[in-house]
């Protein structure tokens, strides 16, 4: 079978470049081989990367039974376990998606509106006037509190505090561009005791598991029918045989939501704050739009503001947090971009390269929210949340949270950049993030 062209560099060298400087790898390869190429990363099967909207459309509109995905997501396994929706395929995947999609949409989602505004305010009010602070850490606190609340329906208590602390340090331990390597090389996943990086990761994970299992135990011994949080929903779900989810299944899906549900949004919020404060014009337009509201604290109204929406969309275009979609593993022969792909070929949509196309986004390197006011892009030209049966289940929630957190921070706090330079986009685990050393300063509270 003929695959699209591939760099001649040794697969191990390609993998190292993909880990250390992912955007250079993608842009450099596309420059030479075009918008459909084959990446070879170490011992992994070849990965066909598509950044042509027509190719993406062919991928996303094919019958979903044509592809598997979960079994190609082993990289997530140490973080979320075998029963995570991310690693599932077929009926079980569909069952968990159907169960977990509704709470992150519509009326259920809107009940979190005031809470997200309050959390954003509380986190920002802890910053000291005149003292630079690490923006990503602050945004991560906001997004973690928001998702913990949605999942557990509580926002205080010793267990909650402990979980918050452990999740942050466990993720930090596999997040720097160097420590991320451990996720790509199974051979580095060795427990050499509590002081070794993987040993520490495992011990933190064990503590997280103990907290989750204690919560499950407590809820079973003290059932409360008035609760409407996501864990309650998961615990009351029954399959066709009337069986509930096992503790292991509950734990894996909870961790999936907690991790996927805050790492990504934290990076997106950090970028947004940078872009807003790097352009006085964007900042002013946003403030004017928010202050034109008769009740600027109403979350439902804030979420509908067109310019605020355009700022969020452009933030997710220019540096999409997920550079790639999840893999699509071909199950029966399929033609994409003129290539006849045979079963077991792995294809991925390259979100970053698609969003950087000059034919769709002129001056693609510039931050221009107006693009999203002037034009509508197709779901194959603009896909920060992927598509088809693997599209992000947290899309509506993430956008809602981004808008409310940004509106709260921008309208109540006067911030400025400490440095004119753009923060570096760096690998963070499997995602792309602004560097965690990026700082801003709080000038005054409005
Ligand atoms: C700005 C924030 C976010 C971005 C950019 C993002 C992006 C993505 C992308 C690109 C995918 C893969 C889609 C595909 O392959 O077609 C995905 C999947 C997923 N996302 Fe998100 N996400 C975000 C926030 C969230 C939140 C808040 C949650 C949880 C509430 C979440 C939960 C998930 C889950 C569970 C999947 C796997 C879906 C499946 O396997 O069927 N994400 N996300």
């Amino acid at each position: 079978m003929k695959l699209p062209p591939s760099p001649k560099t040794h697969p191990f060298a390609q993998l190292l470049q993909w880990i250390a400087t992912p955007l250079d790898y993608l842009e450099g390869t596309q420059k030479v081989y075009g918008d459909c190429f084959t990446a070879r990363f170490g011992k992994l099967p070849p990965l066909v990367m598509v950044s042509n909207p027509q190719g993406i459309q062919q991928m996303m509109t094919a019958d979903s039974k044509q592809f598997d995905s979960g079994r190609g997501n082993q990289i997530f396994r140490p973080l979320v376990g075998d029963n995570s929706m991310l690693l599932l395929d077929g009926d079980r995947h569909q069952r968990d998606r159907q169960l977990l999609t509704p709470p992150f949409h519509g009326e259920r989602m809107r009940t979190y509106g005031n809470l997200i505004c309050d959390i954003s305010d509380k986190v920002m009010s802890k910053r000291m006037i005149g003292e630079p602070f690490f923006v990503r850490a602050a945004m991560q606190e906001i997004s973690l509190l928001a998702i913990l609340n949605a999942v557990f329906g509580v926002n205080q208590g010793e267990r909650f505090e402990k979980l918050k602390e452990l999740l942050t340090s466990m993720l930090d331990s596999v997040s720097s561009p160097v420590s991320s390597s451990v996720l790509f090389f199974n051979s580095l996943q060795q427990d050499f005791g509590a002081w070794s990086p993987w040993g520490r990761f495992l011990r933190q994970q064990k503590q997280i598991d103990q907290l989750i299992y204690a919560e499950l135990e407590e809820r079973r011994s003290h059932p409360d029918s008035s609760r409407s949080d996501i864990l309650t929903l998961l615990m009351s779900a029954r399959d066709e045989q009337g069986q509930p989810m096992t503790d292991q299944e509950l734990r894996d899906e909870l961790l999936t939501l907690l991790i996927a549900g805050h790492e990504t949004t934290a990076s997106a919020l950090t970028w947004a704050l940078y872009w807003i404060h790097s352009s006085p014009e964007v900042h002013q337009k946003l403030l004017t739009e928010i202050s034109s509201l008769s009740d600027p604290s109403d979350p439902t109204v804030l979420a509908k503001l067109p310019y605020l929406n355009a700022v969020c969309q452009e933030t997710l275009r220019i540096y999409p947090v997920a550079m790639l979609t999840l893999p699509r593993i071909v199950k029966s022969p399929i033609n994409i971009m003129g290539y006849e792909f045979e079963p077991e070929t792995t294809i991925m949509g390259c979100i970053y390269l698609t969003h950087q196309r000059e034919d769709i986004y002129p001056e693609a390197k510039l931050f221009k929210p107006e693009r999203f006011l002037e034009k509508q892009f197709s779901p194959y030209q603009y896909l920060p949340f992927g598509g088809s049966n693997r599209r992000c289940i947290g899309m509506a929630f993430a956008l809602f949270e981004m808008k409310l957190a940004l509106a709260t921070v921008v309208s109540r706090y006067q911030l400025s950049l400490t440095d004119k330079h753009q923060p570096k986009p760096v690998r963070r685990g499997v995602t792309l993030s602004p560097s965690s050393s990026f700082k801003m300063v709080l000038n005054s509270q409005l």
Side-chain angles (χ1 to χ4, degrees):
M1 174 184 55
K2 188 170 162 280
L3 287 175
S6 177
K8 307 286 170 278
T9 332
H10 191 278
F12 188 69
Q14 286 188 52
L15 176 59
L16 287 184
Q17 200 194 355
W18 170 238
I19 295 173
T21 51
L23 299 188
D24 291 349
Y25 175 82
L26 293 175
E27 287 178 329
T29 313
Q30 186 213 34
K31 210 178 246 167
V32 181
Y33 300 99
D35 54 16
C36 186
F37 60 83
T38 307
R40 291 179 191 272
F41 295 149
K43 290 184 183 155
L44 290 176
L47 300 175
V48 175
M49 299 213 181
V50 182
S51 57
N52 180 307
Q54 213 184 327
I56 292 178
Q57 181 166 12
Q58 290 169 327
M59 241 173 95
M60 296 296 186
T61 53
D63 183 345
S64 60
K65 292 198 177 65
Q66 190 105 14
F67 300 111
D68 273 343
S69 176
R71 65 188 166 95
N73 287 327
Q74 294 303 318
I75 192 163
F76 295 111
R77 191 188 197 190
L79 289 167
V80 294
D82 285 320
N83 301 288
S84 157
M85 180 192 312
L86 281 161
L87 277 90
L88 297 177
D89 280 309
D91 291 347
R92 268 193 70 198
H93 170 252
Q94 216 186 335
R95 177 199 76 175
D96 283 13
R97 262 187 87 88
Q98 272 169 4
L99 188 64
L100 289 171
T101 305
F104 292 106
H105 289 79
E107 223 21 72
R108 291 283 303 277
M109 174 188 83
R110 281 190 284 277
T111 58
Y112 307 123
N114 289 322
L115 186 91
I116 295 171
C117 296
D118 290 350
I119 290 173
S120 310
D121 200 23
K122 212 162 126 198
V123 169
M124 287 309 294
S125 67
K126 287 196 285 184
R127 311 298 128 190
M128 306 289 272
I129 289 184
E131 263 185 40
F133 64 96
F134 290 113
V135 185
R136 201 186 176 290
M139 295 305 108
Q140 178 140 8
E141 196 176 344
I142 294 178
S143 62
L144 180 55
L145 285 171
I147 193 74
L148 276 167
N149 254 288
V151 168
F152 292 110
V154 288
N155 62 3
Q156 53 211 8
E158 202 187 324
R159 192 174 294 147
F160 183 89
E161 285 303 319
K162 200 95 205 44
L163 201 51
K164 192 178 107 187
E165 216 175 275
L166 282 165
L167 274 167
T168 308
S169 61
M170 182 183 82
L171 290 172
D172 279 348
S173 72
V174 288
S175 291
S176 79
V178 174
S179 59
S180 305
S181 321
V182 76
L183 297 172
F184 291 87
F185 294 102
N186 290 348
S187 53
L188 295 179
Q189 297 175 6
Q190 304 282 348
D191 183 359
F192 292 120
W195 297 103
S196 67
W198 194 249
R200 197 164 50 244
F201 172 86
L202 292 178
R203 280 160 186 76
Q204 283 169 337
Q205 194 175 57
K206 200 166 165 201
Q207 285 177 276
I208 292 174
D209 290 353
Q210 282 164 352
L211 292 171
I212 291 180
Y213 291 132
E215 179 74 19
L216 297 180
E217 182 61 35
E218 192 175 302
R219 289 187 182 221
R220 290 207 179 96
S221 50
H222 299 96
D224 177 353
S225 58
S226 69
R227 295 192 90 131
S228 60
D229 54 74
I230 293 168
L231 177 54
T232 304
L233 177 96
L234 282 174
M235 290 178 76
S236 56
R238 297 289 177 270
D239 65 14
E240 311 83 68
Q241 281 83 44
Q243 292 304 309
M245 287 169 95
T246 63
D247 280 7
Q248 188 66 44
E249 285 176 320
L250 287 167
R251 175 263 185 209
D252 291 359
E253 286 302 23
L254 281 177
L255 272 184
T256 305
L257 296 178
L258 292 177
I259 296 175
H262 90 283
E263 270 282 298
T264 43
T265 319
S267 297
L269 279 171
T270 310
W271 277 125
L273 282 184
Y274 165 74
W275 293 119
I276 293 167
H277 291 86
S278 67
S279 160
E281 200 189 320
V282 172
H283 193 187
Q284 196 47 53
K285 277 191 184 170
L286 203 53
L287 282 177
T288 310
E289 186 179 62
I290 299 169
S291 58
S292 70
L293 295 174
S294 55
D295 180 7
S297 63
D298 180 346
T300 322
V301 181
L302 282 172
K304 289 193 186 126
L305 291 177
Y307 194 70
L308 177 58
N309 178 56
V311 166
C312 294
Q313 304 281 14
E314 179 70 344
T315 298
L316 290 169
R317 178 196 69 80
I318 196 160
Y319 288 123
V321 183
M323 294 172 276
L324 306 171
T325 64
L326 298 173
R328 303 317 200 248
I329 306 172
V330 175
K331 283 169 73 184
S332 53
I334 185 166
N335 190 300
I336 292 177
M337 297 285 295
Y339 290 95
E340 193 64 40
F341 292 118
E342 281 175 16
E344 295 308 309
T345 313
T346 304
I347 310 174
M348 296 175 110
C350 186
I351 303 175
Y352 176 72
L353 290 177
T354 309
H355 286 186
Q356 291 291 321
R357 288 179 72 105
E358 284 288 329
D359 58 344
I360 308 173
Y361 305 103
E363 299 188 293
K365 297 275 178 220
L366 299 184
F367 185 79
K368 291 179 161 184
E370 285 69 20
R371 310 177 194 275
F372 286 89
L373 299 173
E374 290 156 5
K375 213 178 146 198
Q376 267 224 308
F377 299 98
S378 83
Y380 318 113
Q381 296 174 322
Y382 182 68
L383 63 157
F385 297 97
S388 72
N389 68 329
R390 305 301 299 209
R391 191 176 80 172
C392 177
I393 64 160
M395 175 172 105
F397 184 83
L399 286 170
F400 188 60
E401 182 181 332
M402 277 180 77
K403 291 176 195 174
L404 300 186
L406 288 175
T408 307
V409 175
V410 169
S411 61
R412 298 188 202 167
Y413 296 86
Q414 214 226 335
L415 303 172
S416 57
L417 301 174
T418 56
D419 180 343
K420 280 198 308 287
H421 296 106
Q422 188 198 294
K424 253 178 91 170
V426 292
R427 171 178 293 287
R428 192 177 156 89
V430 294
T431 62
L432 184 70
S433 163
S435 155
S436 56
S437 61
F438 166 52
K439 285 184 180 173
M440 289 178 82
V441 67
L442 169 63
N443 301 316
S444 60
Q445 207 164 331
L446 302 170

